[in-house]
Amino acid sequence: MDFGLVLQTDPPASQVVSLMRRAERNGFRYGWTFDSAVLWQEPFVIYSQILANTQKLHVGPMVTNPGTRTWEVTASTFATLNDMYGNRTVCGIGRGDSAMRVAGRKPNTLARLGEAIEVIRDLAEGREAEVDGNPLRIPWVRDGKLPVWMAAYGPKALALAGEKADGFILQLADPYLTEWMIGSVREAAERAGRDPDALTICVAAPAYVGEDLAHAREQCRWFGGMVGNHVADLVSRYGEHSGMVPEALTEYIKSRQGYDYSHHGRAGNPSTDFVPDEIVDRFCLLGPPEAHIEKLRALRDLGVDQFAVYDMHDAKEATIDAYGQHVIPAFRS
C-alpha cells in the first residue's frame, strides 16, 4: 500500500513545501493538495516547488475540476511539470465542489467531466484531442505520462470512474462503503471492456494519531461536513430511500442545515455540528498507531492501493512522523 499526504495550500507556501518534504522523508510517495482558487493559494505554482525540493514524490490535486481552467491549460500545466521533473504528477479530478460553488457556479455535469478526463490525459501525453470542436495537440510533449484519477460517490459517478479513469479516489475510510464503491467502479470497468484490477484505488480521509479520542474527533469532525456536501447532492438527485445510494452514507445528514465554505476543510468548522461521533470514527482513522494499522489492513484487503492522509488539524507534523515511524513500515514488504 502506498501513502499520500493531503494539504490545503494555505500561506505560506513554504510551509506546504516543508510538510511535503517531511512526508517524503517518512515514506509517503504522494503529495496532494486541495484546488480551490478563491479559498487557497494556486496549487500548481506550489507543485513546482514541491517537485524541486523532493526526489520521488508524485504530486497532484485532490481534486481539480473541468470548469475553473480550460482543459488545454490544465493539460499543458501538468505536461510542463512532468517535462521539468520527470512524470511525477497525477491528475485527481471531480465535478467541483468548493472551487465552483464559491465562485457562484454549479458543479460540472458528469458528461463534461467524462469528456475532460480523456481530453486532458490525451493532450498531456502528447496525443491529439478535440476541444470545443477544434483538434488540438501540444507539440512539445515527449514521453509524457498523466494518470487521471476520478473522485466519486454516487452510482453514475462511480460508473464513469470505472469507464474512463485510471484511478478512483474515495474520500472516506468506512470499510463497508469502501467495499460497495470499489465494487461499483470495478463492475463498470468490466462492463466497459477494461481490466477492473488495473484501476488504482485511493482512499483519502483524516488521520489523527493519539490516545485522546475525544480531541481527535473534534479535530476531524469537519470531514463529515465536507462529505455531507456531496451526500446532500446525491439525496437531492436520487432521493433519500431510492436504493441507489447506501443509507449508511445518507442517514447522518438529516439534520444538516447548510454549509459555510469559509471554514471548508478546517478543524472547528461550525457547519459540522450535525456530524455524530459514529460518523467521525467510521470515516476517519483515529487512535493509537495499532488502530490505524488494523483499519488500513482491512482497507487493503478490500483492494485499496493508497491511503491519503488528510492532515488538516493541530498535529500535522506529529501525524506525518507517527505514520513514518509506526504505520507505513507495517505495509512495506
Side-chain angles (χ1 to χ4, degrees):
M1 179 182 274
D2 284 330
F3 288 84
L5 181 71
V6 189
L7 300 173
Q8 294 168 334
T9 51
D10 289 312
S14 59
Q15 178 68 6
V16 178
V17 175
S18 176
L19 288 169
M20 291 298 186
R21 292 181 63 191
R22 190 184 198 112
E24 185 178 57
R25 291 196 302 270
N26 276 282
F28 289 79
R29 292 193 59 218
Y30 286 78
W32 302 93
T33 75
F34 283 26
D35 176 17
S36 190
V38 174
L39 296 178
W40 302 289
Q41 292 185 329
E42 172 54 40
F44 286 93
V45 176
I46 299 171
Y47 295 156
S48 188
Q49 286 297 302
I50 294 171
L51 290 164
N53 283 276
T54 57
Q55 281 70 54
K56 297 181 179 180
L57 199 72
H58 287 66
V59 305
M62 190 175 281
V63 292
T64 194
N65 72 86
T68 52
R69 297 177 180 84
T70 61
W71 303 349
E72 69 274 15
V73 169
T74 299
S76 181
T77 303
F78 277 112
T80 301
L81 292 171
N82 283 336
D83 187 64
M84 292 172 69
Y85 300 106
N87 287 339
R88 289 167 54 198
T89 68
V90 56
C91 177
I93 195 167
R95 293 178 61 227
D97 178 33
S98 63
M100 297 296 286
R101 288 184 163 122
V102 167
R105 307 184 187 106
K106 293 181 179 179
N108 297 270
T109 65
L110 288 176
R112 181 173 172 81
L113 175 57
E115 186 181 355
I117 287 172
E118 295 182 326
V119 168
I120 290 169
R121 180 171 51 212
D122 282 345
L123 290 176
E125 294 185 348
R127 294 183 295 276
E128 183 179 286
E130 189 172 290
V131 180
D132 295 330
N134 299 307
L136 296 179
R137 188 178 71 83
I138 302 176
W140 49 262
V141 174
R142 298 288 184 273
D143 302 318
K145 186 66 177 175
L146 182 66
V148 181
W149 299 2
M150 180 181 155
Y153 290 110
K156 292 182 180 179
L158 293 169
L160 180 62
E163 292 163 3
K164 301 210 173 196
D166 302 300
F168 165 48
I169 297 171
L170 173 58
Q171 297 172 85
L172 54 80
D174 176 77
Y176 170 78
L177 292 170
T178 298
E179 182 175 22
W180 181 81
M181 293 187 184
I182 290 176
S184 298
V185 169
R186 285 183 168 160
E187 287 171 10
E190 192 165 13
R191 288 195 303 270
R194 307 178 72 202
D195 179 0
D197 293 325
L199 272 78
T200 302
I201 307 297
C202 175
V203 161
Y208 198 106
V209 181
E211 300 289 344
D212 189 344
L213 282 178
H215 180 73
R217 286 177 182 131
E218 290 311 310
Q219 287 294 305
C220 297
R221 197 175 304 276
W222 63 266
F223 184 66
M226 187 184 83
V227 174
N229 285 341
H230 303 285
V231 176
D233 284 346
L234 297 178
V235 170
S236 66
R237 187 174 300 116
Y238 298 108
E240 189 175 337
H241 304 290
S242 65
M244 299 288 286
V245 183
E247 290 192 20
L249 180 60
T250 61
E251 182 70 21
Y252 82 99
I253 68 161
K254 286 182 176 179
S255 58
R256 180 179 179 270
Q257 299 294 322
Y259 192 81
D260 181 354
Y261 279 95
S262 67
H263 305 285
H264 189 56
R266 301 186 186 279
N269 186 336
S271 299
T272 61
D273 55 0
F274 70 94
V275 180
D277 288 351
E278 177 199 1
I279 288 293
V280 182
D281 292 348
R282 280 172 45 198
F283 286 11
C284 305
L285 277 77
L286 312 174
E290 296 76 20
H292 292 244
I293 292 169
E294 180 182 5
K295 191 166 187 178
L296 287 167
R297 282 176 174 158
L299 292 170
R300 179 194 60 188
D301 291 345
L302 294 173
V304 174
D305 300 299
Q306 178 185 152
F307 176 62
V309 175
Y310 276 121
D311 204 20
M312 296 90 166
H313 47 57
D314 64 0
K316 293 182 177 67
E317 292 87 352
T319 297
I320 294 169
D321 293 345
Y323 262 67
Q325 183 176 356
H326 301 291
V327 179
I328 293 176
F331 295 87
R332 294 284 184 258
S333 58

